[in-house]
Amino acid sequence: MGYTKEDILRIAKEKGVEFVRLQFTDVFGTPKNVAITVKQLKKALDGECMFDGSSIEGFVRIDESDMYLKPDMDTFAIFPWCPDTARMICDVYSTDGTPFMGDPRNILKKVIKEAEDMGYSFNVGPECEFFLFKRDENGNPTTKTADKAGYFDLGPIDLGENCRRDICLALEKIGFEIEAAHHECADGQHEIGFRFGEVLHVADDVVTFKYVVKTIAEKHGLHATFMPKPVFGICGSGMHTNMSLFKDGKNAFYDPDDELGLSPDAYAFIAGIMEHIKGITSFANPLVNSYKRLVPGYEAPVYISWSVSNRSSLLRIPSARGNATRVELRSPDPSCNPYLEMALCLAAGLDGIKRKLKPVDPIYDNLYDMSEEELKKNNIEMLPKTLREAIKESIADPFVCETVGEHIFEKYIAGKNEEWREYSTMVSQWEINKYLIKY
C-alpha cells in the first residue's frame, strides 16, 4: 500500500488506535508479537523497539538476547474485530544493525534478492485448507464437525457457512482480495482462496490468514485448526502452492511455441523442485501428523512426479496459459512456516534454472492406480513417509542448509528431532485399544 511513517501516525490517531502489535514468527512459523501503546508507535516506526530474543524458539542464547524489530510499514492493518488495535509485521535485526539470519522472513528476503539478481520476480498463490470443529461444554476443542457437507455444498447442510462468510469479510477489511470460499471434501473442512501476489507479501498473508481464521472461528464458538490430518479416514488439509516467475513484466514460464506452453525456465524450475523436494519436505510438512496426510488415496501427493492437470502428481501445471501459467506444488500443508517453505521452493526452482536442469517425462496416468512394478519401471520415487525420514533427507541435501542458513537449519532440525523422539516414546490410544486386553 506504500504507507509512510506519517501516514501510519495519522491513521492511528484518526481511527483511535491505542495498541499496536509488532509481529514476527519463530523458526517453526509460530506467530509472536510485542505489544506497545500508541505512544510508542513513532519509536517502533524508527526501528528502535527491542525485545528479548533468547525467549523465542530458535533465536539466540541468553547472553546475546537483545534484538530489534523493524516494522514493514506496508503491513500496517487495524483489526476489524478489535478496532483500537493495529499490527505491523516486522523484520528482526541484531544490535549491530544487520538482519538477523534466524528470522525466517529475512531468509525469504535473501532468496528474493537472489531471484532479483537473476532478473526474476516470484509470485505465489497458496490454497490453505482448514477444519472447523465444535467445542465441548467447557470450551475445549473437539474433533466433532459442525456439518456433514462435501465439496461446494450450500447451507443449511454446511453449518460452517456463516463463520466462513465472516472470515472472508474480516480478511477483506484488512486488505485481502478473496477470490473464492467453499466447503472442501471432508466434513467440517473449508478453503478460502485469496489472490496470488509477490511472495513476501503472500507469506505475510498466510500468517495473517491463519490468525484471522482462528480468531473469527472462536467468536462463532468453533475451533479452527490447520493441523494436516486431524481425523482418521478422511482427507487432510493441504496448502497447495502455485508459483510463477516473471521477467521483464512477462510470465517467464510461458512459451506459446512449446507443445505444453511451457518455457525452458519452467521446465528447469520443475526439475529443480523435483531434485530437492525430499530435502524440502521436513519444512513443507513439518509435523509428525503431516505424514498421516501424505498417504495414497486421500488426494495428497506421495509420488515425485509432474504432469499437466493430473491431480495425483506432486507438481501439476494447471491449464491456464499466458500470464496465468504456473506450477502447483501439492504436497505442503498449512502447518508449515510459509517464509521458509516459499524460500526453499524459490531457491530450488532457481537452482534448476542456473544448472539448466531438465525434468523427467510427465506422468499422465493415475499414480494411485499404479503397481509397485509400474512405479519402479517409470523411476517414480516417493516423498518421505515420516518426519524422521524427512529430517534425514534434509540433512542429506546441502542445498537446504545453504538456503535457510546454518542458524535456522540447526535449530529447526534439533526441534524436529526432539518432536520425533517425543512421538516415538508416546503411548497412543490406538496402542491401548489394540494391545492392552490382548496381551
Side-chain angles (χ1 to χ4, degrees), residues 11 24 67 76 148 157 198 297 304 316 338 342 438-439:
I11 294 168
F24 56 102
M67 315 212 78
F76 178 79
K148 291 291 183 183
I157 298 173
E198 185 275 327
I304 301 174
R316 185 176 79 96
M342 293 176 188
K438 187 173 181 180
Y439 295 101

Side-chain angles (χ1 to χ4, degrees), residues 6-69:
E6 291 72 22
D7 289 335
I8 292 172
L9 291 169
R10 174 181 51 79
I11 294 168
K13 185 176 180 180
E14 289 175 353
K15 299 295 185 181
V17 171
E18 296 183 13
F19 291 92
V20 180
R21 299 186 185 279
L22 305 179
Q23 182 182 310
F24 56 102
T25 73
D26 67 15
V27 296
F28 303 112
T30 304
K32 304 290 181 178
N33 81 100
V34 174
I36 60 171
T37 65
V38 74
K39 290 181 180 179
Q40 301 297 313
L41 180 55
K42 185 178 185 304
K43 179 180 176 182
L45 291 169
D46 290 334
E48 297 175 359
C49 281
M50 299 182 72
F51 75 103
D52 179 6
S54 67
S55 301
I56 303 301
E57 192 74 49
F59 270 30
V60 292
R61 298 185 299 267
I62 196 165
D63 59 336
E64 48 187 25
S65 59
D66 290 339
M67 315 212 78
Y68 284 94
L69 293 173

